[in-house]
């Protein structure tokens, strides 16, 4: 079915939403993650009041997160809003401070929606943060795993694992990835015990 939908596209897009995420090492235990959400319209449009607006960038929002600690959490957060549809949109920028101290684990998205979603903040910053956190984990792990490290003694020693468990079929509690990790840990613990 996907191929048939693809074949129905006969014109240029009218809208694009792009995300860009980057992770920068700060020190051995912390990283700064940047996330950008950019909405662009490719044709003129009319708002609900009937005013015409030109095509172009309608939203551009950038989040900066300081990630670290054990358990893994957001240690600091800041936001920029270079492009917004209305000047008052920037009033929601400070809402992002409410996520400082939030652990990155299962249930993160729901907590974010309660803290800065709906009328508490900005729907676009909320969406960016929810999408960004998985990229932040990948970036954090890329930084932490850039040097050799010992095999953990248990699943509890794996930072950020709570965020991944039960997020998809492969990462379910009794799924193949966790089973493989458990087998590696058990094998390593047996080798240590035999020494």
């Amino acid at each position: 079915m996907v191929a048939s939908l693809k074949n129905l596209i006969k014109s240029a897009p009218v809208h694009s939403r792009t995300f860009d995420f980057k992770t920068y090492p700060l020190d051995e235990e912390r990283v700064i993650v940047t996330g950008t959400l950019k909405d662009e319209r490719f044709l003129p449009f009319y708002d609900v009041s009937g005013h015409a607006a030109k095509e172009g960038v309608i939203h551009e929002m950038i989040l900066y997160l300081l990630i670290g600690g054990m358990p893994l959490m957001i240690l600091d957060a800041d936001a920029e809003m270079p492009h917004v549809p209305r000047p008052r949109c920037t009033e929601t920028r400070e809402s992002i401070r409410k996520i400082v101290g939030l652990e990155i684990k299962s249930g993160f998205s729901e907590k974010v929606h309660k803290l800065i979603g709906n009328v508490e903040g900005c729907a676009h910053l909320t969406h960016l943060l929810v999408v960004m956190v998985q990229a932040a984990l990948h970036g954090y792990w890329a930084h932490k795993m850039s040097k050799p490290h010992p095999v953990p003694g248990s699943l509890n020693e794996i930072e950020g694992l709570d965020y991944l468990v039960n997020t998809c079929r492969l990462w379910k509690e009794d799924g193949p990835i966790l089973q493989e990790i458990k087998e590696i840990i058990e094998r390593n613990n047996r080798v240590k015990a035999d020494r």
Side-chain angles (χ1 to χ4, degrees), residues 61-163:
M61 300 177 177
I62 306 163
L63 287 180
Y64 300 88
L65 302 178
L66 177 60
I67 306 279
M70 185 60 163
L72 199 58
M73 69 177 62
I74 297 173
L75 303 172
D76 203 356
D78 198 7
E80 293 178 359
M81 299 173 129
H83 288 93
V84 289
R86 292 181 172 77
R88 294 192 71 177
C89 289
T90 59
E91 294 173 9
T92 65
R93 191 175 77 86
E94 288 301 314
S95 69
I96 202 69
R97 304 283 309 145
K98 294 178 183 179
I99 65 162
V100 173
L102 195 59
E103 290 183 29
I104 300 175
K105 63 181 183 179
S106 183
F108 179 86
S109 298
E110 294 83 22
K111 288 180 182 175
V112 165
H113 281 283
K114 285 180 184 172
L115 289 170
I116 66 168
N118 302 315
V119 297
E120 299 300 320
C122 167
H124 296 87
L125 284 178
T126 302
H127 183 61
L128 174 58
L129 179 60
V130 168
V131 173
M132 182 178 176
V133 76
Q134 192 166 24
L137 282 174
H138 282 276
Y140 179 81
W141 288 331
H143 173 57
K144 292 292 283 183
M145 299 172 113
S146 63
K147 296 177 184 154
H149 59 281
V151 173
S154 71
L155 291 177
N156 295 333
E157 294 177 24
I158 302 173
E159 294 178 75
L161 186 63
D162 287 348
Y163 185 79

